[in-house]
DNA sequence: ATAAATAATAACAACGTTGTTATTATTATA
DNA sequence: TATAATAATAACAACGTTGTTATTATTTAT
């Protein structure tokens, strides 16, 4: 069994309550005594028993993350970033990859201080939990728990509208529109809405390119098929960073030039990746903004401050070398064209 | 705050100790009483407080997994499989993606029953822990904790030796030999050892093809470069399933035929994937075997049974349509060649 | 019908910790 | 030097649960 404060107390010749105070750096115990106790605790390799501590304090200083879709490596980067942020706030992160309801029950038993549910499929708002829940996914009127929404729909819309205003008409979207993943569906919806808004006469469906998966190769394969077809699009909106990497390879291979022959805007949360050949135009909420907001909402929820149940993050459009304005349009809108 | 057995006791008009027994289905409480209590507990949405329970029982029925490399999606499938296996054994899994020492301390505080460390980098055998640790990685004489080793070195050796005995000489290995990941390094070592054993005169280094990453596209890119070169290898050993998928695409694209022009054996743990165009020859310890063994070792460790500190799993060579014997060799060894 | 046996339930201690209250040791004040 | 004030430490209760022991209710045997 582990070392307890009683062991330390015995070894230091003081009462165990003094040990408790010393270790929590209470001013109620004299400096030299404190030091002696801390030293002994270190020597014995003492680790406070979380069960006992959370039993009495009713706080565990732990956040439980429910992440049932571990295999779709999707949120890995976000979880890493959030984990760091929470560590700064002296919270510990535990992850469960179990099915949503089971995971929520587990975290209830463990009395974590709050649960973060990565919700890209089912609706979590039916589950009961005495531990407060925060959801990361898609906000809507039925949300009962605070839901942070990276507003993927608006992100893609923004990209499309920008491309439209830059004179592009032959815009395609490469992404997943058939899968179960509601986050992907949102992006598709954004594309459709924006395109229908810009070019009501067009048939949007022909501009949607379905991928076989969300990895780099899938982007590559999809783009290649596109390039086989008769007419090249002037702009591509890509559903994810990985897909974009593949698309870029296909562009390269086809001998096309970016952004002269084709413009690309990628949905992306990641901080600027410098291993790109071309500085990439991106749209999306930056990873740090998401994890900061998630941490904020979690803390607020723990502090019983009630927050909105729908928290939309603002996607950022970052225009860089991989996209350009089409000459005619730029002219027609009275804007100069900058190569 | 959550519902406790005292709330249930009050509501049922019995003492809380009776509630405790009823919920644990003790024969010490009369059937109708038991039923009534269980019903009430259900209605109130009672979840036993894990802190209190593990405090008194000194068991948490929880396994902590340390997985600092979440972003290298590597072990995702294994963790999923193991999670299921442990659920069958009525253990709950919690994951920490923190740095090894921090994660181990966290799990010590939580008094999990055992820790599983995915150890593909640093050496965990220095860390102190009162909770028993099991490691999944590379076993060696310095291992102080039981270490389950999928024997990647031997797996690749087996593949190479098989190919050698099938008459192949121009064998290449596509994989990662430069990264930090010791698991990958093991595979490379296996390839080198087997090749040097078979063809001492050859320069092995020219047969090692370094990939840029471990994703499908990286396999594709590496294979393509190989196929540009003068002389085609007769056989490829691939370091991972994803790489293999890419390699196959490159083979296709080049118009080569498998296994007539080229044989492929892939390192792989996954159960047969049927989305392959060619039934794949693979080598490796099956995923289920790994997770079963990990679960076994964890249980044994919890039960204080002492196990070996080095547990090597036996890789399986599964020869299928993607590889063939070379005619001359088959003849020279007196074996018939089956197309 | 009553004592003895047994079934059912209640009461209590313990797990390791924290916060509060009580006790003892030390210092300051007269 | 005695006394009040304060500093330092010790003792205690509580958190929610389980396992053991004590009590009460019920059955069995005579």
């Amino acid at each position: 069994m582990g070392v307890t404060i009683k062991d330390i107390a015995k070894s230091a010749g003081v009462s165990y309550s003094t040990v408790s105070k010393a270790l929590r750096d209470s001013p109620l115990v004299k400096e030299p005594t404190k030091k002696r106790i801390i030293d002994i605790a270190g020597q014995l390799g003492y680790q406070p028993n979380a069960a006992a501590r959370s039993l009495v304090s009713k706080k565990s200083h732990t956040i439980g993350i429910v992440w049932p879709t571990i295999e779709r490596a999707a949120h890995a980067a976000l979880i890493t970033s959030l984990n760091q942020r929470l560590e700064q706030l002296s919270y510990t992160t535990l992850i469960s990859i179990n099915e949503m309801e089971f995971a929520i029950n587990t975290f209830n038993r463990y009395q974590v201080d709050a649960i973060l549910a990565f919700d890209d499929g089912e609706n979590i708002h039916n589950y009961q939990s005495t531990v407060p829940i925060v959801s990361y996914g898609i906000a809507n009127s039925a949300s009962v728990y605070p839901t942070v929404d990276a507003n993927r729909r608006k992100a893609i819309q923004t990209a499309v509208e920008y491309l439209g205003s830059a004179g592009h008409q032959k815009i395609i979207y490469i992404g997943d529109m058939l899968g179960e993943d509601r986050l992907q569906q949102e992006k598709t919806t954004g594309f459709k809405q924006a395109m229908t808004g810009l070019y009501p006469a067009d048939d949007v469906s022909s501009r949607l390119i379905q991928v076989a998966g969300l990895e780099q190769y899938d982007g590559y394969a999809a783009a290649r098929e596109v390039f086989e077809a008769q007419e090249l699009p002037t702009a591509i909106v890509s559903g994810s960073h990985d897909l974009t990497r593949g698309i870029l390879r296909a562009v390269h291979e086809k001998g096309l030039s970016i952004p002269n022959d084709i413009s690309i805007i990628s949905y992306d949360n990641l901080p600027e990746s410098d291993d790109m050949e071309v500085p990439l135009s991106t749209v999306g909420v930056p990873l740090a903004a998401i994890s900061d907001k998630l941490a904020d909402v979690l803390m607020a929820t723990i502090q019983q401050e009630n927050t909105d149940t729908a928290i939309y993050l603002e996607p950022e459009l970052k225009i860089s070398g991989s996209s350009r304005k089409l000459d005619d349009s730029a002219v027609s809108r009275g804007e100069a064209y900058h190569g």
Side-chain angles (χ1 to χ4, degrees), chain A residues 27 47 49 59 61 77 86 102 112 116 149-150 190 225 256 268 297 308 314 325 328:
Chain A
Q47 288 288 335
N49 181 316
K59 287 270 160 273
H61 259 253
L86 290 174
F102 183 93
V112 299
L116 174 63
D149 186 330
E225 281 206 25
L256 296 173
D268 203 352
V297 175
D308 292 338
E314 205 51 41
K325 296 186 201 276
D328 46 337

Side-chain angles (χ1 to χ4, degrees), chain A residues 66-254:
Chain A
V66 185
W67 187 36
T69 54
I70 176 184
E71 290 182 272
R72 282 190 265 141
H75 300 300
L78 176 54
I79 289 180
T80 304
S81 162
L82 178 61
N83 181 53
Q84 276 166 15
R85 182 84 191 89
L86 290 174
E87 205 174 321
Q88 285 170 5
L89 300 167
S90 61
Y91 275 78
T92 298
T93 305
L94 288 178
I95 299 171
S96 170
I97 59 172
N98 285 288
E99 177 265 323
M100 187 72 69
E101 188 164 17
F102 183 93
I104 290 179
N105 285 343
T106 300
F107 284 137
N108 270 275
R109 288 197 297 274
Y110 269 88
Q111 304 260 111
V112 299
D113 292 345
I115 294 173
L116 174 63
F118 278 76
D119 181 18
D120 47 15
E122 63 191 315
N123 192 335
I124 65 158
H125 299 277
N126 306 315
Y127 298 127
Q128 278 279 289
S129 172
T130 61
V131 171
I133 295 183
V134 171
S135 157
Y136 177 69
I138 297 161
N140 63 45
S141 50
S143 306
V144 291
Y145 303 120
T147 299
V148 174
D149 186 330
N151 219 334
R152 293 161 190 81
R153 182 187 304 204
K154 184 170 177 191
I156 299 292
Q157 275 175 343
T158 307
V160 171
E161 279 157 13
Y162 167 80
L163 287 169
S165 79
H168 290 274
Q169 181 159 9
K170 282 173 276 177
I171 308 171
I172 65 167
Y173 174 69
I174 295 183
D176 175 31
M177 41 229 60
L178 299 178
E180 297 277 288
D181 188 337
R182 281 164 57 211
L183 307 186
Q184 304 307 320
Q185 291 166 13
E186 278 289 297
K187 295 177 196 168
T188 309
T189 306
F191 184 78
K192 284 187 192 160
Q193 287 183 352
M195 287 297 278
T196 316
L198 282 174
Y199 311 112
D202 271 30
D203 174 24
V204 190
S205 65
S206 68
R207 306 228 179 260
L208 294 170
I209 312 296
Q210 172 69 36
V211 292
L214 288 172
E215 291 177 41
Q216 177 174 4
Y217 184 83
D218 303 303
Y220 170 78
R224 244 173 77 152
E225 281 206 25
V226 169
F227 298 156
E228 298 303 321
Q230 292 301 77
E231 198 185 31
L232 279 186
T234 63
I236 298 178
V237 177
S238 162
S240 86
H241 181 78
D242 283 342
L243 291 178
T244 305
R245 279 161 62 209
I247 295 170
L248 291 177
R249 302 304 307 206
V251 168
H252 239 202
E253 199 174 294
K254 187 73 179 176

Side-chain angles (χ1 to χ4, degrees), chain A residues 163 168 174 223 227 234-238 243-249 251 258-259 262-267 279-282 318-324:
Chain A
L163 287 169
H168 290 274
I174 295 183
F227 298 156
T234 63
I236 298 178
V237 177
S238 162
L243 291 178
T244 305
R245 279 161 62 209
I247 295 170
L248 291 177
R249 302 304 307 206
V251 168
I258 292 180
I262 202 160
S263 287
I264 295 189
I265 300 185
S266 173
Y267 180 83
L280 206 55
S281 296
T282 59
K318 219 183 61 198
I319 294 305
S320 192
S322 75
S323 62
R324 73 172 182 96

Side-chain angles (χ1 to χ4, degrees), chain A residues 4-15:
Chain A
T4 75
I5 51 173
K6 294 189 181 174
D7 300 320
I8 300 174
K10 199 174 296 174
S11 168
V14 298
S15 79

